[in-house]
Amino acid sequence: MGGWAIAVHGGAGVDPNLPNERQEEAKRLLTRCLDIGISALRSNLSAIDVVELVVRELETDPLFNSGRGSALTEKGTVEMEASIMDGPKRRCGAVSGLTTVKNPISLARLVMDKTPHSYLGFAGAEEFARKQGVELVDNEYFITEDNVGMLKLAKEANSILFDYRIPTLTTCGGGAAMENQLQMNGLPISLYAPETVGCVVVDKQGHCAAATSTGGLMNKMTGRIGDSPLIGSGTYACDLVAVSCTGEGEAIIRSTLAREVAAVMEYKGLNLHEAVDYVIKTRLDEGKAGLIAVSKNGEVACGFNTTGMFRGCATEDGFMEVGVW
């Protein structure tokens, strides 16, 4: 065993002109979440408990696109989705179409723990939330002034809002710039703002877990489901590795990106860093995305082909890093 390790992300694709103040704000939030996770791991909480705890914190803070601060649909409302997965027995839970659940990741955990199912959506998920007594709030709670303004820009442009659009190829150590126009399902789009949140953990016992939560795309069609609640695409954990993805959901879905990391480790014998590098370079086609991952041996890695990714990681041996670019 290599000891515990944790990684968090606040979304792949960062505006290259993002003000320093916003960058520092993001770093402070990521650092706070890492500190919460580190404290929990030192207190011997299990990996699955830690990823839920950390993502709840990210959902509660309006800075990133999950929970409060979620992106708005074309109708100006919030529809959230999340998933969680426990590596040892590959147990999982996922939810979509949430409009009143304060912490979607905890409802996903309840789907995993309290139902015979893996995925509940929309009215059924909301009904389950009421029966479980989770905290509910009005939809307005999730809506921020900033996102109302971003939705207005998206409608004026008649597009899904994507405003981080300068892609590069990076796997936590450098890469080459690319000039491809950003597309979704083969169609060009002008602006991109994916700020999904996620956390992956391996605990002292070598057990891995992953959790991902998002409000989706700004100005998305009502009822759109992205990669974040899809096990194997946005989230995956097994006895070997845990992965949480972020970015262009449609590309992540097509590539089953999170599962691919585990697959190349299992079938090609790659280590964690090699696996992350391989899937980012070869599995996304022209899609733009990023991911964080931990292995059962206490390794931690991230990779992205966008202009940066809000991220942080720490390991039991004292290593800790928070980055944007």
Side-chain angles (χ1 to χ4, degrees), residues 232-312:
S233 292
T235 303
Y236 189 74
C238 59
D239 58 0
L240 186 63
V241 65
V243 185
S244 174
C245 300
T246 171
E248 183 193 334
E250 280 66 15
I252 294 169
I253 292 168
R254 290 195 303 271
S255 62
T256 57
L257 194 65
R259 168 59 188 159
E260 278 293 290
V261 175
V264 296
M265 292 177 72
E266 292 173 11
Y267 304 135
K268 294 176 72 72
L270 302 185
N271 65 37
L272 182 68
H273 292 274
E274 292 170 338
V276 169
D277 183 70
Y278 180 82
V279 300
I280 291 292
K281 288 181 177 177
T282 68
R283 290 296 187 260
L284 282 167
D285 301 320
E286 296 180 355
K288 301 294 178 282
L291 62 85
I292 54 173
V294 295
S295 76
K296 68 175 183 179
N297 298 321
E299 302 165 298
V300 62
C302 70
F304 52 96
N305 65 357
T306 54
T307 310
M309 179 171 74
F310 297 108
R311 66 198 185 278

Side-chain angles (χ1 to χ4, degrees), residues 126-167:
E126 293 276 343
E127 180 183 359
F128 175 65
R130 289 190 294 272
K131 289 180 178 178
Q132 291 297 312
V134 303
E135 186 173 1
L136 304 178
V137 293
D138 292 337
N139 198 249
E140 288 75 15
Y141 162 84
F142 303 104
I143 299 173
T144 64
E145 186 177 341
D146 284 348
N147 282 344
V148 171
M150 291 177 72
L151 180 62
K152 183 174 183 292
L153 289 175
K155 288 188 175 297
E156 288 173 353
N158 193 30
S159 71
I160 297 169
L161 185 55
F162 285 81
D163 68 12
Y164 310 144
R165 50 186 165 172
I166 302 178

Side-chain angles (χ1 to χ4, degrees), residues 63-262:
L63 185 63
F64 294 132
N65 175 14
S66 68
R68 191 173 193 289
S70 284
L72 306 181
T73 69
E74 60 187 356
K75 295 182 178 179
T77 60
V78 165
E79 289 183 355
M80 300 166 292
E81 50 197 25
S83 63
I84 192 167
M85 191 164 188
D86 195 12
K89 293 184 178 180
R90 288 184 290 185
R91 298 169 60 245
C92 58
V95 288
S96 284
L98 300 182
T99 59
T100 66
V101 177
K102 186 175 182 181
N103 290 108
I105 197 63
S106 291
L107 189 65
R109 174 76 184 270
L110 287 169
V111 171
M112 180 180 76
D113 288 343
K114 302 294 186 181
T115 81
H117 308 305
S118 295
Y119 197 157
L120 294 177
F122 297 88
E126 293 276 343
E127 180 183 359
F128 175 65
R130 289 190 294 272
K131 289 180 178 178
Q132 291 297 312
V134 303
E135 186 173 1
L136 304 178
V137 293
D138 292 337
N139 198 249
E140 288 75 15
Y141 162 84
F142 303 104
I143 299 173
T144 64
E145 186 177 341
D146 284 348
N147 282 344
V148 171
M150 291 177 72
L151 180 62
K152 183 174 183 292
L153 289 175
K155 288 188 175 297
E156 288 173 353
N158 193 30
S159 71
I160 297 169
L161 185 55
F162 285 81
D163 68 12
Y164 310 144
R165 50 186 165 172
I166 302 178
T168 62
L169 179 59
T170 308
T171 53
C172 289
M178 297 185 296
E179 301 298 333
N180 295 346
Q181 182 182 18
L182 192 61
Q183 296 186 341
M184 181 173 287
N185 276 346
L187 300 175
I189 51 177
S190 58
L191 303 162
Y192 191 39
E195 291 183 345
T196 295
V197 305
C199 180
V200 292
V201 167
V202 57
D203 60 26
K204 291 179 181 179
Q205 286 69 46
H207 297 159
C208 298
T212 312
S213 181
T214 189
L217 300 175
M218 188 68 69
N219 201 28
K220 65 183 179 181
M221 294 175 64
T222 302
R224 181 260 185 183
I225 295 172
D227 67 286
S228 296
L230 300 185
I231 299 301
S233 292
T235 303
Y236 189 74
C238 59
D239 58 0
L240 186 63
V241 65
V243 185
S244 174
C245 300
T246 171
E248 183 193 334
E250 280 66 15
I252 294 169
I253 292 168
R254 290 195 303 271
S255 62
T256 57
L257 194 65
R259 168 59 188 159
E260 278 293 290
V261 175

